[in-house]
Amino acid sequence: QVRLVESGGGVVQPGRSLRLSCAASRFTFSAYALHWVRQAPGKGLEWVAVISFDGSNKYYADSVKGRFTVSRDNSKNTLYLQMDSLRPEDTAVYYCARDRGSNWLLYYLDYWGLGTLVTVSS
Amino acid sequence: DFQMTQSPSSVSASVGDRVTITCRASQGLSRWLAWYQQKPGKAPRLLIYAASSLQSGVPSRFSGSGSGTDFTLTISSLQPEDFATYYCQQANSFFASFGPGTKVDFK
């Protein structure tokens, strides 16, 4: 069964940085695009970013563009989200999720991790 | 930008009821739409993709329909494990977006 495990969340002050990781296993990591999706406490889902299977294409939500950077290391089966200039409104559970398309971007998210909580507060 | 709306925002139902949730997009999506189920404290689960294709392992009581701007998720006979929040998501652009969600709870 596909496994995605996020880590790196925590409490951080506004304006500071944090890097999230997502360790993947039990599938061919290098063949799939991966997404980050977040959910503020008590709120709905917000798509954050996607990176293609080979890392050549990346797209971001307007709310994080210029502040967040998605990357991946296919040799380590790990996805990253570098979050800079954090704001209180970035407080959320951050999920990584696999795109259903193999070697293709479909934007259907078929497997999700359990999430990691990021709290931005002074 | 694609804006997604859902109706109703919540619905109260009983086991065995037929439940229908509607999702509307601000622009045409063709059939690039997915539905997810989320239970409290859990990650979302993909139910339907490409508007009407059932994800592997999802019970057949779930079905999706629609194209363009109007889509529907139907649960034909609500089961106790189906009480959850349901989200639609457009997949028609490089920038995905979700609807606000529909909570299905006990009548």
Side-chain angles (χ1 to χ4, degrees):
Chain A
Q1 179 75 317
V2 169
R3 192 161 186 248
L4 298 166
V5 180
E6 302 91 340
S7 61
V11 180
V12 61
Q13 293 180 327
R16 304 297 290 267
S17 299
L18 203 61
R19 188 177 83 156
L20 305 183
S21 299
C22 172
S25 58
R26 304 174 189 172
F27 69 100
T28 305
F29 183 80
S30 60
Y32 290 86
L34 294 159
H35 301 254
W36 287 99
V37 175
R38 68 184 181 183
Q39 187 168 36
K43 302 298 184 182
L45 301 170
E46 180 186 14
W47 178 82
V48 173
V50 62
I51 184 168
S52 59
F53 67 97
D54 60 358
S56 62
N57 292 293
K58 306 174 186 180
Y59 302 99
Y60 301 90
D62 286 344
S63 57
V64 307
K65 195 174 299 181
R67 299 187 300 122
F68 289 12
T69 302
V70 61
S71 62
R72 64 190 296 160
D73 186 337
N74 284 351
S75 69
K76 295 183 177 179
N77 288 1
T78 303
L79 171 72
Y80 303 100
L81 186 67
Q82 177 67 40
M83 304 186 295
D84 298 324
S85 304
L86 282 161
R87 305 167 179 168
E89 55 264 37
D90 296 319
T91 294
V93 173
Y94 285 74
Y95 296 100
C96 64
R98 192 186 81 166
D99 194 286
R100 196 178 183 279
S102 176
N103 295 318
W104 197 254
L105 257 177
L106 291 180
Y107 284 79
Y108 299 131
L109 285 55
D110 63 352
Y111 288 95
W112 296 62
L114 297 180
T116 186
L117 176 61
V118 173
T119 303
V120 184
S121 174
S122 54
Chain B
D1 279 14
F2 289 85
Q3 306 300 320
M4 308 300 293
T5 59
Q6 289 182 232
S7 60
S9 57
S10 66
V11 56
S12 297
S14 301
V15 172
D17 285 352
R18 182 182 183 90
V19 174
T20 299
I21 299 168
T22 297
C23 176
R24 177 163 289 174
S26 59
Q27 303 176 53
L29 304 179
S30 183
R31 293 177 62 81
W32 291 95
L33 185 105
W35 290 96
Y36 300 84
Q37 176 194 67
Q38 187 181 33
K39 298 180 181 179
K42 302 293 187 181
R45 173 195 183 194
L46 178 64
L47 300 176
I48 302 285
Y49 64 95
S52 62
S53 295
L54 196 67
Q55 173 68 1
S56 175
V58 174
S60 58
R61 63 181 179 272
F62 291 93
S63 64
S65 64
S67 65
T69 59
D70 295 304
F71 301 86
T72 299
L73 173 71
T74 299
I75 309 172
S76 61
S77 177
L78 198 67
Q79 298 302 300
E81 61 268 30
D82 301 336
F83 292 94
T85 299
Y86 294 84
Y87 296 92
C88 61
Q89 175 236 320
Q90 65 83 11
N92 192 56
S93 78
F94 292 126
F95 314 97
S97 52
F98 290 89
T102 295
K103 185 175 182 180
V104 178
D105 60 18
F106 290 99
K107 182 181 287 183

